[in-house]
Amino acid sequence: MKAWYDKIDAVERVSDLEAIRIAVFGKKGVLAAEFAKMKDAPNEDKAAIAKELNIHKGRLTALLTQKKEMLQLHELEAAMKAEAIDVTLYSAPSQSGSLHPVMETMDRIVEYFSSMNFAVYTGPMIEDDFHNFEALNLPKYHPARDMQDTFYFKDEMLLRTHTSPVQIRTMLQSQPPIRMIAPGAVFRRDYDLTHTPMFHQVEGLLVDEAGSVSFANLKFILEDFLHYMFGDVAVRFRPSFFPFTEPSAEVDISCIFCEGEGCRVCSKTGWLEVLGCGIVDSNVFQAVNYNNVSGYAFGLGVERFAMLIHRIGDLRSLFEGDVRLLEQFR
Ligand code: PHE
């Protein structure tokens, strides 16, 4: 029997243990054979032989189990080592992208107005004359159409020159009260340091019962918004004109470059114009069949905000796709 202990000791693979188990414990195995021999042994020795065989049986069983567990553990460890990923291996550097500064700025603007319960609406970039002009109190041949140099298609369609047509679409679709913003791309025939033919606006519109919306409401939220975007700046409202609002205003912040001293960016005025706004003109409500309502609207250029926040001198550089510029905004 002694030889079997050594054999078990010497085994190196779990699969080889099974053969030994069968050779020892199987029906035709050594133990069975040893027990069979007992019938030829003298009667007085039988008890001692049986006792010894049973001791071997117990010890060999324990040894086999122990050996099996040990070998399984080793094999598992070997497998884990073989399959491990070497994280110290060299790999070619990869480049991660980032949000374009214009989109990041737009997200911040949307975030502010969402937090004030304004819903986000979008509209088509290819618009018709009615939504882009007519319903916004800009009848054909109105001189104010020249304020916005328009890209026209052959069939009376055009690229929207502002996000204001989304006001019209939203009012035609739903009933007051309305509290919406409309972020999106707009198009004008313009190209210089501060103008590109495509840029982005965020429009805002609030409509409620007649007499319930005042210029003071508009002033309050825009001041709060501009402080959210630019921090501790002075804000001023200047009377202005838009066909779709009356009264209208343009809103300036104190120049963030010279803090109001007067510099090249603010043309020595100490102020930077950042948005247009006003009380919705009654002709606009008439065009969408709204009665007994009052409201305010505002519109702003996202690129202008991004340029001021990131101190970018030339608007065109935002659209050249130069990775060196974009990498600065990671
Ligand atoms: N639509 C105007 C523009 O593009 C901005 C604006 C929107 C002004 C809403 C007043 C109210 O210049």
Side-chain angles (χ1 to χ4, degrees), residues 15-16 23 42 70 73 84 93 124 135 161 165 224 235 239 245 253 260 262 277 279 283 294 319-320 323-324:
S15 54
D16 294 341
M70 197 188 79
L73 200 68
T161 56
D224 190 52
V235 178
T245 47
I253 56 169
C277 66
I279 295 296
N283 286 343
S294 58
F319 299 114
E320 281 164 356
V323 178
R324 290 167 303 177

Side-chain angles (χ1 to χ4, degrees), residues 5-274:
Y5 289 88
D6 296 340
K7 270 191 188 161
I8 294 174
D9 255 349
V11 167
E12 284 177 1
R13 279 185 311 222
V14 178
S15 54
D16 294 341
L17 273 182
E18 183 60 10
I20 295 183
R21 191 188 65 77
I22 292 168
V24 176
F25 296 99
K27 265 186 198 156
K28 294 175 184 162
V30 276
L31 271 175
E34 291 295 322
F35 277 113
K37 273 189 217 158
M38 272 173 57
K39 68 177 187 309
D40 305 325
N43 266 344
E44 62 271 27
D45 294 346
K46 277 185 182 162
I49 294 172
K51 191 177 174 193
E52 202 196 310
L53 283 176
N54 276 324
I55 289 171
H56 280 307
K57 193 177 169 183
R59 283 187 185 155
L60 285 166
T61 306
L63 192 62
L64 267 176
T65 318
Q66 202 186 4
K67 185 80 186 184
K68 191 172 172 185
E69 278 170 8
M70 197 188 79
L71 286 178
Q72 275 172 339
L73 200 68
H74 279 231
E75 282 177 15
L76 183 68
E77 267 171 19
M80 289 208 296
K81 241 188 203 158
E83 287 164 22
I85 295 165
D86 183 353
V87 291
T88 66
L89 265 184
Y90 169 82
S91 71
S94 66
Q95 291 192 328
S96 63
S98 62
L99 268 188
H100 191 281
V102 171
M103 289 303 132
E104 180 230 59
T105 305
M106 185 129 101
D107 283 355
R108 266 189 73 194
I109 296 168
V110 170
E111 194 177 275
Y112 173 84
F113 287 105
S114 298
S115 80
M116 292 295 181
N117 277 331
F118 283 72
V120 179
Y121 284 82
T122 54
M125 292 178 201
I126 297 174
E127 265 295 3
D128 52 42
D129 194 86
F130 174 76
H131 292 90
N132 196 82
F133 290 127
E134 196 90 31
L136 289 160
N137 197 28
L138 269 148
K140 286 218 168 65
Y141 311 113
H142 191 290
R145 285 198 182 197
D146 292 346
M147 280 164 73
Q148 307 179 348
D149 270 320
T150 312
F151 287 109
Y152 284 99
F153 295 100
K154 283 189 194 127
D155 51 359
E156 289 262 312
M157 300 296 279
L158 48 87
L159 288 175
R160 67 178 181 193
T161 56
H162 49 181
T163 40
S164 302
V166 188
Q167 287 188 31
I168 303 299
R169 289 185 179 276
T170 309
M171 287 191 281
L172 287 172
Q173 243 173 41
S174 36
Q175 287 304 309
I178 285 178
R179 212 178 160 88
M180 55 94 65
I181 53 167
V186 301
F187 307 84
R188 291 183 200 177
R189 298 164 56 125
D190 246 339
Y191 193 60
D192 60 32
L193 270 183
T194 50
H195 298 89
T196 50
M198 187 280 306
F199 61 103
H200 298 82
Q201 289 189 332
V202 176
E203 189 85 10
L205 172 71
L206 183 143
V207 182
D208 213 326
E209 286 165 23
S212 68
V213 182
S214 71
F215 206 99
N217 300 148
L218 174 63
K219 188 162 181 276
F220 178 86
I221 194 163
L222 289 181
E223 275 173 353
D224 190 52
F225 163 64
L226 291 172
H227 288 143
Y228 175 80
M229 296 300 290
F230 295 106
D232 190 18
V233 289
V235 178
R236 81 173 179 188
F237 285 67
R238 239 178 330 101
S240 184
F241 173 79
F242 299 102
F244 28 89
T245 47
E246 181 61 32
S248 307
E250 278 173 322
V251 186
D252 301 338
I253 56 169
S254 52
C255 181
I256 54 176
F257 297 95
C258 61
E259 285 172 1
E261 293 279 307
C263 66
R264 200 177 53 85
V265 185
C266 60
S267 312
K268 304 257 188 297
T269 62
W271 295 96
L272 299 164
E273 183 195 321
V274 288

